[in-house]
Amino acid sequence: MWFSKSTDEVLKALEVDPHSGLSTEEARRRLEKYGYNKLKSKAKKSIISLFLSQLKDMLIYVLLAAAVITFIINEIADSIIILLVIILNAVIGAAQEYKAGKAVEALQKMTTPKAIVRRDGNVIEINSEEVVPGDIVLLDAGRYIPADLRLIESANLQIEESALTGESVPSSKDASAILDDSKTAIGDRANMAFMSTLTTYGRGEGVVVATAMETEIGKIAKILEDEDNEMTPLQKRLEELGKLLGFLAIGICAVIFLVALLQKRDLFEMFLTAISLAVAAIPEGLAAIVAIVLALGVTRMSKINAIVKRLPAVETLGSVNIICSDKTGTLTQNKMTVVRHYTYNRLTDIPASSNKLQASPDELELVRSLVLCSDATFVDGVGTGDPTEIALIVLGEKYGLGRDSTHTKFKRISENPFDSDRKLMSTLNQEGDHFRVHTKGAIDNLLKISSSVLIDGQVMPLTDEIKGNFLKVAEEMSNSALRVLGAAYKDTDKVIVPEEMEKDLTLIGLVGMIDPPRLEVKASIDKAKLAGICPVMITGDHRNTAVAIAKELGIAQSIEQSITGAEIDQMTDEEFASRINNFRVFARVSPEHKVKIVRAFKAQGNIVSMTGDGVNDAPSLKYADIGVAMGITGTDVAKGASDMILTDDNFTTIVHAIEEGRNIYNNIKKAVIFLLSCNLGEVISIFLSILLNWPVPLIATQILWVNLITDSLPAISLGIDPGDKDVMKQKPRNPRESFFAHGAAVRAITGGVLIGLLTLVDFYYGLYEHGYVLGAEMLPEDALETALPYARTMAFVVLAASQLFYSLSMRSFSKPIIKVGFFSNLYLIGSIIVGILLQLLVITVPFLANAFEVHNLSLREWGIVIAFSLVPLVVNEMFKIFMKEKN
């Protein structure tokens, strides 16, 4: 309990002299003892383990069994093709996980902060990773705290601890404080500074008492080390589908042997046929295609600033119906901006981007006083220091009063620093042959210490009427969620002590500032609401400020839709959960409240996305269905706990990611339904032929060709379909919804039955055309041997071509292809053309024709084949039109 000990006790315990610090040799020994000052990350999976993890899937097991069986029966080519598919699938999945991991590592290595320490009596700068317990660390504005420190010296020191405590306002620190209560909350430990927090004001010194995983941030990081391996609904459905198809394949083989025994057929021939049917029942390309579609989708998402850490998280995005978003930096620009200033009877709105604005003498005096009474800097668009003061410096730039030039011209002689009791700050600056006090702070306090007011360049007595005027304007600004700051001055002939500065001042005016909303966010919120998604604001800021921003963005309509953290604490979990849907703004909340908010929303059956950047946000990020970390302001712990990282910290990116997630899921569904339709067609054609005691219309090699080549190209193209432009006009998908909901099962069965029956009809026609009539007697002995290759060729081409054309209809389950656009997915058109060319190649190139046991077709036969192949497409399109008319 370092915070309950005096500075002398702490220094004695850590064996260090604060004036000289540790020696280089002692620092080296302690580095060896305690290790580097960095949070431990989980052991990275090797490429081999990532590859092997991709093989843990029922569909893969079934495919491996098919590969072994085909090898045993000496069908080496088939076995090799199946094994290549398995390897391709595993390589794609492993590569994507490895790439996502690398992207996260890159974010974590953005920059290693430096630390200023005292060693061997000298002040030096080192990497924060080399800081050890006992090091004396020097702190100043704008510098990150490298480890947990017990402060030994402080001068107006303020530290922004939101990454750890969630408190948006910087905490004032006092090195001399000794806290006796052992249960003192982290946010109340005024004599401590914690790793990864930021010094915003003043200066100080501290001795390192904990590094790496022993720090407060390290303790939270330990909680998050548990791996969460729960499967998403899509993974569960694909695994169930794999098991179903595996059992189906085994069942089909058993039925085939039973039929073979009854029909007294050749058992070895039936064994080959059973293998053909098993191969037909399993969509060999399914696992690979789903992995490819997810990988391509995730790559597309990274281009819109959303890095998805786990592939299956893409699916959950499509079901999100609540987006809980931080206000600062996500919904707003994360930079305080002065939007209005007031001098007596002159209220001026300030344009967002203009420079070199014109101003009255009183307004220039107001801006000059505020710039001179600020310690922040603003160089090349980057501000350092208190955000409020940065806003004042930027205001000065707009009026041609740059910080450096103004401070150089009017040199600061003395100051009375800000403190939370006075709520004022004053500086004494030289102006020619005299001096001027510049004071800024809360308008109420300024009015108490002012006796005059500047009006049109003249100093006039400050009457009650004028005071009331200023208070009224300040109240109007506050009601508009603006933070109000006043400025006053007084001239003096000599240097005066700080205690004399804040007396008999002349009031100049006041400014109103706000962290403005991001320009693009309002349109994104409208888009989200249209998609049935409810955006919710969560902030540590005050209720009025939060509600004003929420109203402007369209998140809330009234203050009644807001609730504070204190009010949440007064409710039971059950009461809060029952009322949660009434609220759109959660103000003055801590990271602990965030977990409660997520739980309450989930208790009402919602799928929740939660944003966060601080270490204490990590539990809520992990508990949410989709945890979204900030890439710029987010801590490494938050990024580690999240499912998705926004590289631009922008709310709009979340909405874009949800839209992309919906389209990716729909595309996977299209590809899966298409593949199942195709495989069902193959199963029906073979199974019926056996039941009818016909020759088998397709051999195993032909089925594999269709499954791996003809089917796969359109399936991948469906997987990268541009997506439905109206996808964000639909309600979020119910995560418990069946993969075959909304008529998908009917479409799969209808398509499969049509493809299977047409393949059989064309096979029958092929036999008939070449002199063999099924069931007829008194036929020549070689009639079947002569007709069979032609009939199988026609069945083979109809099967492949009907599937290729049918893929066009699968682009939308409800919109006709004419409305979707024939050429809006050129990859699919290319796949169909390539598929048809490959079919041509197989039946015209002699050595391929021999391998696949096919013959070239006549022009008339090609016409019949194409006509038959178009039937499933035409029937499905007519069904869509009929359903649309019916609805």
Side-chain angles (χ1 to χ4, degrees):
M1 300 294 181
W2 299 105
F3 56 84
S4 61
K5 295 181 179 179
S6 68
T7 52
D8 290 338
E9 287 175 313
V10 173
L11 292 167
K12 188 177 178 183
L14 292 165
E15 299 176 2
V16 62
D17 178 356
H19 303 295
S20 59
L22 298 174
S23 67
T24 305
E25 184 58 31
E26 179 62 21
R28 186 186 60 77
R29 275 199 298 271
R30 293 191 186 192
L31 186 63
E32 287 175 3
K33 181 180 177 181
Y34 296 105
Y36 281 101
N37 177 37
K38 59 181 181 181
L39 300 180
K40 286 179 187 170
S41 53
K42 289 177 193 167
K44 286 191 292 184
K45 287 184 180 179
S46 67
I47 291 285
I48 297 296
S49 62
L50 282 175
F51 177 84
L52 292 174
S53 68
Q54 306 301 314
L55 301 177
K56 296 174 183 175
D57 184 274
M58 182 64 184
L59 265 180
I60 300 295
Y61 299 153
V62 175
L63 287 177
L64 282 168
V68 170
I69 293 168
T70 47
F71 183 80
I72 290 169
I73 61 170
N74 213 25
E75 296 288 340
I76 307 296
D78 295 354
S79 185
I80 290 170
I81 290 169
I82 296 171
L83 285 172
L84 284 174
V85 170
I86 294 166
I87 292 166
L88 175 69
N89 170 64
V91 167
I92 289 166
Q96 181 55 40
E97 278 194 38
Y98 181 75
K99 208 161 81 176
K102 282 291 179 188
V104 174
E105 279 179 43
L107 280 169
Q108 290 173 343
K109 291 177 182 173
M110 276 180 172
T111 49
T112 303
K114 302 285 185 181
I116 294 178
V117 299
R118 188 178 287 126
R119 286 185 182 172
D120 299 314
N122 300 315
V123 174
I124 59 170
E125 187 175 59
I126 61 171
N127 277 340
S128 62
E129 290 181 356
E130 296 168 11
V131 167
V132 295
D135 257 326
I136 303 297
V137 177
L138 281 66
L139 306 174
D140 55 16
R143 197 169 289 278
Y144 278 96
I145 313 295
D148 282 6
L149 311 178
R150 169 61 165 92
L151 296 171
I152 56 174
E153 211 177 282
S154 61
N156 304 307
L157 183 63
Q158 291 183 12
I159 297 176
E160 196 265 292
E161 298 180 329
S162 63
L164 186 62
T165 65
E167 180 60 51
S168 59
V169 179
S171 304
S172 296
K173 296 295 180 178
D174 180 7
S176 62
I178 298 175
L179 307 167
D180 296 325
D181 186 358
S182 61
K183 294 180 181 177
T184 303
I186 291 171
D188 296 326
R189 294 178 193 173
N191 58 9
M192 298 287 291
F194 301 103
M195 184 182 192
S196 290
T197 58
L198 176 68
T199 309
T200 59
Y201 192 81
R203 60 177 186 78
E205 288 186 15
V207 59
V208 176
V209 295
T211 58
M213 297 301 282
E214 298 309 308
T215 61
E216 292 298 330
I217 271 185
K219 290 172 187 174
I220 295 172
K222 285 176 187 173
I223 298 168
L224 301 168
E225 285 180 350
D226 298 333
E227 191 73 55
D228 184 11
N229 290 318
E230 187 183 352
M231 294 172 74
T232 70
L234 177 62
Q235 286 176 306
K236 289 173 185 172
R237 285 182 199 124
L238 288 177
E239 186 171 349
E240 286 164 9
L241 183 63
K243 287 176 183 174
L244 178 68
L245 293 173
F247 292 131
L248 182 66
I250 294 164
I252 285 168
C253 291
V255 171
I256 292 296
F257 274 105
L258 187 64
V259 171
L261 287 169
L262 292 172
Q263 295 179 348
K264 298 179 180 177
R265 292 198 180 200
D266 182 272
L267 285 182
F268 183 73
E269 183 192 330
M270 280 296 101
F271 186 72
L272 287 177
T273 304
I275 292 295
S276 298
L277 250 178
V279 168
I282 301 164
E284 283 80 4
L286 180 62
I289 284 160
V290 170
I292 290 168
V293 171
L294 280 171
L296 291 172
V298 166
T299 304
R300 274 210 309 273
M301 289 176 79
S302 69
K303 290 174 184 172
I304 59 166
N305 301 312
I307 293 176
V308 176
K309 287 170 57 189
R310 296 184 307 113
L311 284 181
V314 175
E315 172 214 355
T316 314
L317 274 169
S319 297
V320 167
N321 66 332
I322 300 280
I323 302 176
C324 297
S325 175
D326 278 338
K327 176 180 74 72
T328 305
T330 309
L331 294 170
T332 64
Q333 297 175 25
N334 196 22
K335 52 182 181 184
M336 291 298 284
T337 307
V338 178
V339 293
R340 201 172 292 168
H341 57 58
Y342 177 76
T343 54
Y344 189 68
N345 278 342
R346 186 193 290 265
L347 182 63
T348 305
D349 289 320
I350 302 164
S353 57
S354 301
N355 281 329
K356 296 184 180 175
L357 297 169
Q358 298 300 310
S360 69
D362 289 6
E363 289 172 331
L364 282 175
E365 198 57 58
L366 171 67
V367 175
R368 186 167 74 99
S369 274
L370 291 168
V371 170
L372 287 170
C373 194
S374 295
D375 291 324
T377 62
F378 188 76
V379 181
D380 296 329
V382 179
T384 305
D386 184 82
T388 300
E389 291 196 343
I390 293 170
L392 299 176
I393 298 298
V394 172
L395 176 67
E397 299 273 352
K398 290 182 178 180
Y399 283 102
L401 295 168
R403 191 251 184 213
D404 291 344
S405 60
T406 308
H407 277 245
T408 303
K409 187 176 179 182
F410 306 104
K411 188 179 177 185
R412 185 183 293 187
I413 306 300
S414 177
E415 68 180 272
N416 190 0
F418 174 87
D419 72 42
S420 54
D421 295 327
R422 289 168 28 249
K423 293 184 180 175
L424 298 170
M425 172 184 174
S426 298
T427 64
L428 183 68
N429 297 73
Q430 189 158 8
E431 296 209 8
D433 59 354
H434 71 285
F435 304 92
R436 177 170 283 190
V437 173
H438 297 281
T439 302
K440 75 173 193 291
I443 188 66
D444 297 6
N445 293 16
L446 275 178
L447 287 170
K448 290 173 188 174
I449 57 173
S450 297
S451 57
S452 55
V453 61
L454 187 67
I455 301 174
D456 296 330
Q458 302 295 313
V459 176
M460 311 284 282
L462 182 60
T463 64
D464 288 341
E465 184 186 344
I466 294 172
K467 280 184 180 180
N469 181 289
F470 274 96
L471 286 170
K472 184 185 175 188
V473 172
E475 188 180 353
E476 286 170 357
M477 285 189 181
S478 294
N479 290 339
S480 299
L482 300 185
R483 183 177 180 188
V484 182
L485 207 60
Y489 76 95
K490 79 171 176 182
D491 290 322
T492 174
D493 295 329
K494 63 180 191 293
V495 174
I496 57 176
V497 294
E499 289 75 24
E500 294 296 315
M501 289 181 185
E502 294 164 2
K503 293 176 183 176
D504 296 323
L505 301 181
T506 299
L507 184 66
I508 314 170
L510 45 87
V511 295
M513 61 183 76
I514 196 167
D515 180 7
R518 285 179 179 263
L519 301 175
E520 68 279 14
V521 165
K522 191 172 188 330
S524 297
I525 285 171
D526 291 341
K527 190 176 186 179
K529 287 163 84 172
L530 189 67
I533 299 165
C534 175
V536 168
M537 179 193 288
I538 297 181
T539 178
D541 215 334
H542 294 279
R543 175 184 260 171
N544 285 358
T545 307
V547 171
I549 296 284
K551 280 182 180 178
E552 191 175 339
L553 292 172
I555 291 175
Q557 278 74 49
S558 67
I559 199 160
E560 284 72 34
Q561 290 180 293
S562 65
I563 187 171
T564 64
E567 290 168 339
I568 293 172
D569 290 334
Q570 290 169 5
M571 296 184 191
T572 63
D573 288 350
E574 293 75 19
E575 185 187 357
F576 182 51
S578 67
R579 294 182 58 194
I580 188 80
N581 291 328
N582 300 332
F583 304 116
R584 295 292 175 268
V585 176
F586 299 86
R588 301 304 281 168
V589 299
S590 68
E592 288 72 28
H593 290 126
K594 277 191 166 187
V595 176
K596 203 169 181 180
I597 291 165
V598 173
R599 285 181 186 275
F601 272 125
K602 289 181 77 171
Q604 297 297 311
N606 296 298
I607 304 297
V608 184
S609 165
M610 170 66 82
T611 67
D613 53 10
V615 174
N616 265 16
D617 289 333
S620 62
L621 291 176
K622 206 160 169 94
Y623 193 77
D625 297 287
I626 290 283
V628 181
M630 302 296 125
I632 299 170
T633 59
T635 57
D636 287 351
V637 178
K639 290 170 190 168
S642 66
D643 301 294
M644 187 169 82
I645 299 168
L646 306 184
T647 59
D648 62 353
D649 290 13
N650 194 335
F651 177 88
T652 300
T653 304
I654 303 174
V655 179
H656 286 161
I658 288 173
E659 182 175 5
E660 197 65 52
R662 286 187 178 190
N663 276 324
I664 290 169
Y665 183 84
N666 288 346
N667 287 349
I668 290 172
K669 189 171 178 177
K670 290 176 203 172
V672 171
I673 298 297
F674 169 71
L675 288 172
L676 292 179
S677 294
C678 297
N679 284 71
L680 181 61
E682 293 160 14
V683 169
I684 285 171
S685 61
I686 294 175
F687 195 63
L688 282 180
S689 68
I690 291 164
L691 288 179
L692 295 169
N693 205 10
W694 289 10
V696 179
L698 298 158
I699 60 171
T701 318
Q702 292 170 346
I703 294 168
L704 268 176
W705 170 265
V706 172
N707 281 3
L708 300 176
I709 309 298
T710 317
D711 287 358
S712 296
L713 291 174
I716 293 170
S717 301
L718 285 170
I720 54 173
D721 203 54
D724 188 352
K725 291 173 185 173
D726 297 330
V727 75
M728 292 300 274
K729 292 178 184 175
Q730 298 160 12
K731 292 269 187 288
R733 190 187 75 255
N734 187 330
R736 289 182 288 276
E737 176 186 288
S738 164
F739 204 70
F740 300 100
H742 306 299
V746 173
R747 272 184 289 275
I749 293 167
T750 305
V753 169
L754 279 170
I755 290 167
L757 290 178
L758 288 163
T759 302
L760 267 182
V761 170
D762 209 46
F763 176 68
Y764 181 91
Y765 178 80
L767 289 172
Y768 177 79
E769 273 288 291
H770 291 86
Y772 186 85
V773 180
L774 287 164
E777 296 178 6
M778 304 297 293
L779 290 170
E781 286 184 15
D782 61 348
L784 180 60
E785 196 177 326
T786 306
L788 193 57
Y790 289 99
R792 277 183 175 162
T793 303
M794 291 186 79
F796 179 42
V797 176
V798 164
L799 180 71
S802 61
Q803 292 176 4
L804 288 169
F805 293 137
Y806 186 63
S807 67
L808 284 169
S809 189
M810 293 303 296
R811 286 195 58 200
S812 172
F813 293 142
S814 57
K815 293 178 183 175
I817 189 64
I818 298 167
K819 194 171 180 183
V820 175
F822 267 104
F823 301 103
S824 53
N825 185 347
L826 292 175
Y827 293 109
L828 184 58
I829 299 298
S831 299
I832 293 168
I833 292 168
V834 168
I836 290 169
L837 289 174
L838 286 171
Q839 286 301 116
L840 267 172
L841 209 64
V842 164
I843 63 175
T844 52
V845 175
F847 81 90
L848 286 174
N850 290 335
F852 284 92
E853 299 179 24
V854 290
H855 284 265
N856 207 344
L857 300 176
S858 68
L859 206 58
R860 180 170 172 275
E861 286 168 337
W862 268 112
I864 293 165
V865 161
I866 297 296
F868 271 79
S869 301
L870 287 168
V871 171
L873 168 64
V874 173
V875 169
N876 205 39
E877 290 301 292
M878 287 172 68
F879 178 73
K880 286 182 196 175
I881 294 166
F882 170 74
M883 288 306 293
K884 191 175 180 184
E885 290 294 324
K886 187 181 175 184
N887 291 334

